[in-house]
Amino acid sequence: MEDSAPRRGRVTFGWLVGLSQVLGLVSVVLTGVWMGQYKGGFAWDGSAQQFNVHPLCMVLGLVFLQGDAILVYRVFHNEAKRNIKILHGIIHLLALCISIIGFVAVFNFHKVSKIPDMYSLHSWVGMATIVLFFLQWVIGLLFFLFPVASSWLRASYLPIHVFCGLGLLVMSIGSCLLGITEKLLFSLPTYSQFIPEGVLANVLGVLLVCFGGVVCYMVTKEDYRRPPNPEEESLSVYFKTLTEGQSPSSP
Amino acid sequence: MEDSAPRRGRVTFGWLVGLSQVLGLVSVVLTGVWMGQYKGGFAWDGSAQQFNVHPLCMVLGLVFLQGDAILVYRVFHNEAKRNIKILHGIIHLLALCISIIGFVAVFNFHKVSKIPDMYSLHSWVGMATIVLFFLQWVIGLLFFLFPVASSWLRASYLPIHVFCGLGLLVMSIGSCLLGITEKLLFSLPTYSQFIPEGVLANVLGVLLVCFGGVVCYMVTKEDYRRPPNPEEESLSVYFKTLTEGQSPSSP
């Protein structure tokens, strides 16, 4: 009877993980359908089809993969922490690369079509997000995967790293919603008539908000934190010396 | 020497509170300047000037006041918890009333100008935010100010209340950014030429994001939590009976 509450907690957690994956995957698919079905598909020739690569990359990289990279610490409870750290870093790197492809796609399209860059709120928030995302990844790599910072510094930085990670996911989703609104207002004069394309794009926006909500809930809920395991060493300590002491607690 | 770290923490906290108030107040002022200076001022006659009431009310009520209502638990450390609870509820009620005025302003303007309602992503996210905000306020009132729920139920609901509160602040800011983008794309054909109105509105969006970031940081940082005070009773227990037991910990 005593362990029924934790078990129920793990079952709920499992459902939430499933829900997050459904929300994330459906968002990626809907973006693909919107760009593929309604906007003429994909290309890499400076045309409007090249622009279509941008939303797909941002939803896939900056939202879905970033969210999943954050979740690995909660999902893989029984794996060695160093493995999870590497997985966390690799998925974030993949998210970063896909996001950069998405950025190149839109800047190249703008250049060919002589459309001004960086004037809209979407571009300001989006650019801030990708720059901070890159910085967060580099600092995370230096602090937690390589022994650059002292244990004290790493322990102090960890809560900031976690807070900024969730903040960047929220900013990414906000940027996507701004982008959806821009795209609809620029290219859909019949948006106000509740036509399928407009409704599909709105639903995409709502799903992205729900994805962010579920991921943030799972990461901030105390019960779902990875339990501390004194037998495990952080990878930085593992690389440097096995005798230096305890690593900071897991994010 | 031992208490220098907490004291330094309080000094940093004081600066963060000041920063949040500057960001919030400047956001409200910038919204007023944008609508007053560039969009023809305010009125309540179904004209475009009535629409201008909408952004001002949303930034003031749904963002600034909601953020401040959340912060009272962190700012007033030494006040009796029941007083803080009442203040928290009253500022939220004020935020709700101002937000409803903002909603009425835009729906009334749409009706007079025969503009369709509720087709845009901004309207979907905004409506979801205000409905959930209202529900959160009513449930919070019933659970924490009146003795409707049991102590166990209140304690279980508290973390959800805190998470949803921050989530609603983030959704409110997201809705504002979507609204800024809509307004600029609908009414500023020269937006891409970096004209002052466009830059001002973009800066407003960035300030709102910063306000949300600072408030969320202060609320989620463990060191800034209100220390538990066993002498204080929750107001629900205070209303019901002083002998029922401990209230759930402060949000």
Side-chain angles (χ1 to χ4, degrees):
Chain A
M1 189 62 189
E2 265 183 16
D3 66 348
S4 72
R7 195 179 296 154
R8 209 166 44 236
R10 291 305 292 171
V11 170
T12 310
F13 177 77
W15 279 104
L16 287 173
V17 171
L19 177 64
S20 71
Q21 297 313 290
V22 169
L23 288 167
L25 284 171
V26 172
S27 298
V28 174
V29 170
L30 276 192
T31 312
V33 169
W34 182 20
M35 294 297 123
Q37 193 74 15
Y38 291 101
K39 295 296 179 200
F42 304 93
W44 197 272
D45 54 4
S47 68
Q49 280 72 41
Q50 180 168 341
F51 170 86
N52 296 346
V53 175
H54 172 69
L56 189 62
C57 284
M58 301 337 275
V59 170
L60 175 61
L62 217 49
V63 179
F64 181 56
L65 287 179
Q66 192 187 172
D68 273 10
I70 290 171
L71 281 184
V72 292
Y73 278 101
R74 296 290 176 276
V75 173
F76 300 108
H77 255 194
N78 300 321
E79 287 292 319
K81 202 162 79 181
R82 62 174 179 274
N83 297 341
I84 304 303
K85 268 190 190 181
I86 293 172
L87 186 62
H88 181 73
I90 287 174
I91 302 178
H92 266 130
L93 180 62
L94 190 63
L96 190 61
C97 292
I98 292 173
S99 306
I100 290 171
I101 293 170
F103 259 62
V104 173
V106 70
F107 277 100
N108 193 248
F109 163 68
H110 280 181
K111 194 177 170 190
V112 172
S113 308
K114 297 190 177 21
I115 296 171
D117 286 316
M118 297 303 302
Y119 68 87
S120 71
L121 185 55
H122 167 60
S123 62
W124 287 25
V125 178
M127 183 57 85
T129 304
I130 198 89
V131 169
L132 293 172
F133 184 68
F134 175 73
L135 284 176
Q136 164 95 340
W137 189 84
V138 170
I139 298 171
L141 190 78
L142 293 176
F143 272 46
F144 298 122
L145 276 172
F146 297 106
V148 169
S150 67
S151 289
W152 176 84
L153 203 59
R154 273 183 285 130
S156 307
Y157 172 61
L158 183 62
I160 300 171
H161 180 78
V162 174
F163 176 79
C164 290
L166 285 184
L168 283 169
L169 180 67
V170 169
M171 280 177 70
S172 302
I173 291 169
S175 303
C176 287
L177 265 61
L178 290 174
I180 291 169
T181 294
E182 267 198 10
K183 186 67 186 167
L184 288 168
L185 296 185
F186 279 140
S187 69
L188 202 64
T190 50
Y191 183 27
S192 66
Q193 292 164 30
F194 291 88
I195 60 165
E197 183 184 342
V199 174
L200 179 142
N202 284 4
V203 169
L204 168 61
V206 173
L207 291 178
L208 290 172
V209 172
C210 293
F211 176 77
V214 173
V215 171
C216 288
Y217 180 72
M218 280 192 286
V219 173
T220 55
K221 191 169 163 66
E222 198 59 36
D223 303 354
Y224 297 158
R225 282 177 73 95
R226 187 183 166 88
N229 184 349
E231 289 169 17
E232 289 181 337
E233 297 285 336
S234 77
L235 194 60
S236 53
V237 180
Y238 178 81
F239 274 147
K240 199 175 182 183
T241 162
L242 286 167
T243 59
E244 197 182 295
Q246 279 305 308
S247 67
S249 64
S250 162
Chain B
M1 188 62 187
E2 264 183 17
D3 66 347
S4 72
R7 196 179 298 155
R8 211 167 40 236
R10 289 307 291 172
V11 171
T12 310
F13 177 77
W15 280 103
L16 287 174
V17 171
L19 178 63
S20 71
Q21 296 313 289
V22 169
L23 289 167
L25 284 171
V26 173
S27 298
V28 174
V29 171
L30 276 192
T31 312
V33 169
W34 182 21
M35 293 299 122
Q37 194 75 16
Y38 292 100
K39 296 295 178 200
F42 304 92
W44 197 272
D45 54 4
S47 69
Q49 280 73 40
Q50 180 168 341
F51 170 87
N52 296 347
V53 175
H54 173 67
L56 188 63
C57 284
M58 300 338 274
V59 170
L60 175 61
L62 219 47
V63 180
F64 181 57
L65 287 179
Q66 191 186 174
D68 273 10
I70 289 171
L71 281 184
V72 293
Y73 279 101
R74 297 291 176 275
V75 172
F76 301 107
H77 255 194
N78 301 319
E79 287 291 320
K81 203 163 77 182
R82 62 174 178 274
N83 296 342
I84 305 303
K85 267 190 190 181
I86 293 172
L87 186 62
H88 181 73
I90 287 175
I91 303 179
H92 265 130
L93 180 62
L94 191 63
L96 189 61
C97 292
I98 292 174
S99 306
I100 290 170
I101 294 170
F103 258 62
V104 172
V106 70
F107 276 101
N108 193 247
F109 163 68
H110 280 181
K111 193 177 170 189
V112 171
S113 307
K114 297 191 177 21
I115 295 171
D117 287 315
M118 297 302 304
Y119 68 87
S120 72
L121 185 54
H122 166 60
S123 62
W124 286 27
V125 177
M127 183 58 85
T129 305
I130 198 87
V131 170
L132 293 172
F133 184 68
F134 175 72
L135 284 176
Q136 164 96 341
W137 189 82
V138 170
I139 297 171
L141 190 79
L142 294 176
F143 272 46
F144 299 122
L145 277 173
F146 296 105
V148 168
S150 67
S151 290
W152 176 84
L153 203 59
R154 273 184 285 131
S156 308
Y157 172 61
L158 184 62
I160 299 171
H161 180 77
V162 174
F163 176 81
C164 290
L166 285 182
L168 283 169
L169 180 67
V170 169
M171 279 177 72
S172 302
I173 292 170
S175 303
C176 287
L177 266 61
L178 291 174
I180 292 170
T181 294
E182 265 197 11
K183 185 68 187 166
L184 288 168
L185 296 185
F186 279 139
S187 69
L188 202 66
T190 51
Y191 183 27
S192 66
Q193 293 165 30
F194 291 89
I195 60 165
E197 184 184 340
V199 174
L200 179 142
N202 283 4
V203 169
L204 168 61
V206 173
L207 291 178
L208 291 173
V209 172
C210 294
F211 175 77
V214 174
V215 171
C216 288
Y217 180 72
M218 281 192 285
V219 173
T220 55
K221 191 169 164 67
E222 199 59 37
D223 303 354
Y224 297 158
R225 281 176 75 94
R226 185 184 168 90
N229 184 349
E231 288 170 19
E232 289 181 336
E233 297 286 337
S234 78
L235 193 62
S236 53
V237 180
Y238 178 80
F239 274 147
K240 200 176 181 183
T241 163
L242 286 167
T243 57
E244 196 183 294
Q246 280 305 307
S247 66
S249 63
S250 163

